[in-house]
Amino acid sequence: MIDMRDVGVCVLAGELASEELPMIAAQALADGLDSPSLRELAGLSPGEYREARELLDQVIDELGLPELPDEDQAVWEVARSYARRIVFGAIAPVDGAHAIASHAGSLMFPEPLATFAFLTDLWQDNVGERAQLEQDIVREAEALLREMSD
C-alpha cells in the first residue's frame, strides 16, 4: 500500500516530481485509500500540476498522517530510507550510497552524507577494492541509522 506521507517526503526531497502525483494518487485509490483531496489529486490534468503539492498536504491531513517535514528534514528522511535499504540488502550498497550522496549538496554536504559521496567516488576509481568499499558503505549506513535514531 502506498504511504502518502512517504510520497510527500519524496516530493520535498526531489525524489518525485509533482507531475507524478496524480498517477500515485490513482494507485492509492485503487489500493483502498480514500479522501476527497486524494480523489481530486488523482483527477488532475497536466495543466494543473501546480495544485498537486497543495492537494498532497490536504490528503495527508485528511488521512490523519503526520505532518510533512520541511525540505531539509525530508532529505534526511530520504537518506535514512536509503541507509535502511542498504543495511537490509534491499539495494546494492553503491547504489544506495550514490542516492544518499546525490542529496548531500542540498544540505551543504554534512559529514554523514558527504561520506557516502566520498565512498562512491572511491568505489568508482578502485575496482579491486569494491568489495571492501561496499562493506564500508554498509557500516556507514548502519552508523547513519544509529546517529539518526538518537
Side-chain angles (χ1 to χ4, degrees), residues 4 24-26 28-29 33-43 55 59 62-63:
M4 292 306 292
I24 292 168
L29 287 168
L33 287 178
D34 194 18
S35 82
S37 294
L38 185 62
R39 283 183 250 126
E40 188 175 345
L41 181 57
L55 282 171
V59 167
E62 290 170 1
L63 294 175

Side-chain angles (χ1 to χ4, degrees), residues 94-146:
V94 70
D95 293 339
H98 181 73
I100 292 170
S102 72
H103 291 290
S106 68
L107 297 173
M108 306 303 284
F109 295 97
E111 186 176 331
L113 302 188
T115 299
F116 289 96
F118 176 71
L119 289 170
T120 57
D121 286 346
L122 286 175
W123 189 91
Q124 187 68 32
D125 296 338
N126 298 288
V127 175
E129 296 178 29
R130 286 184 175 174
Q132 178 59 50
L133 290 166
E134 288 180 358
Q135 291 175 8
D136 294 344
I137 291 168
V138 172
R139 275 194 293 280
E140 288 298 324
E142 291 168 341
L144 180 63
L145 291 173
R146 277 192 309 275

